[in-house]
């Protein structure tokens, strides 16, 4: 499964072409953060991949093909990154506070896509939020808001 995803990425984005932050740099940076969060608890499942794709299409106003290309490019960028600062610095330069709050909310939506929050996911959202200038109160409020919107699954 993972190999199939890697091959898809290789087919969409040429491996000789390093991911670059262009006019849509904040979109690439935000998507890379979401991919990082999605990958923390192991192999991303279908629910997480669907959530990522729908968030990218909805929040960035992209068609499915453009969203696929952005996700593929962000996966490469995320794989090359050594820390979160590479992405959060771009977002800080290009996005106002309301936009950064939306990005943190998107991170929580990806975290909750599989129905659980791991310690690693919580920690990375906390660190990214700090780098994005989002207060602890806002981060926790967003977490609770996203958790409250999750569908209830019968026991």
């Amino acid at each position: 499964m993972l190999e199939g995803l890697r091959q898809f990425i290789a087919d969409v984005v040429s491996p000789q072409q390093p991911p670059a932050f262009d006019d849509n740099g904040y979109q690439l940076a935000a998507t890379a953060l979401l991919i990082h969060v999605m990958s923390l608890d192991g192999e991303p499942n279908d629910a997480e991949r669907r959530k990522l794709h729908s968030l990218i299409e909805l929040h960035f106003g992209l068609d499915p093909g453009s969203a696929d290309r952005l996700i593929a490019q962000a996966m490469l960028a995320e794989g090359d990154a050594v820390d979160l600062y590479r992405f959060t610095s771009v977002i800080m330069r290009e996005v106002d506070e309301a936009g950064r709050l939306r990005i943190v909310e998107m991170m929580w939506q990806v975290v909750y896509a599989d129905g659980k929050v791991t310690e690693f996911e919580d920690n990375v959202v906390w660190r990214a939020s700090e780098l994005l200038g989002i207060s602890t109160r806002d981060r926790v409020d967003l977490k609770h808001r996203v958790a409250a919107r999750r569908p209830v699954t019968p026991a």
Side-chain angles (χ1 to χ4, degrees), residues 42-145:
E43 180 68 28
N45 63 36
D46 288 338
E48 291 169 321
R49 285 191 288 273
R50 280 192 307 271
K51 176 56 78 174
L52 172 67
H53 206 279
S54 69
L55 287 170
I56 298 307
E57 285 183 29
L58 177 68
H59 288 281
F60 298 145
L62 300 176
D63 61 77
S66 296
D68 286 342
R69 285 187 293 280
L70 178 60
I71 290 168
Q73 190 176 19
M75 288 183 81
L76 292 173
E78 193 278 329
D80 290 341
V82 295
D83 61 16
L84 301 175
Y85 183 76
R86 175 177 182 198
F87 307 121
T88 58
S89 63
V90 171
I91 295 167
M92 284 296 290
R93 278 194 312 270
E94 297 185 27
V95 181
D96 63 12
E97 183 179 13
R100 294 191 315 269
L101 284 165
R102 281 191 300 276
I103 290 169
V104 172
E105 182 176 17
M106 290 167 65
M107 291 173 75
W108 283 124
Q109 290 173 307
V110 168
V111 166
Y112 277 107
D114 64 1
K116 61 187 182 308
V117 179
T118 68
E119 181 180 319
F120 296 116
E121 291 168 328
D122 193 60
N123 182 269
V124 168
V125 175
W126 166 70
R127 288 186 299 138
S129 296
E130 290 287 317
L131 290 168
L132 291 173
I134 302 302
S135 71
T136 299
R137 180 180 184 170
D138 286 340
R139 174 179 48 85
V140 171
D141 285 348
L142 288 168
K143 179 181 182 179
H144 291 159
R145 191 176 322 152

Side-chain angles (χ1 to χ4, degrees), residues 1-12 43 75-76:
M1 173 95 166
L2 184 59
E3 188 56 40
L5 183 59
R6 285 186 179 141
Q7 185 59 48
F8 168 76
I9 293 167
D11 292 342
V12 173
E43 180 68 28
M75 288 183 81
L76 292 173

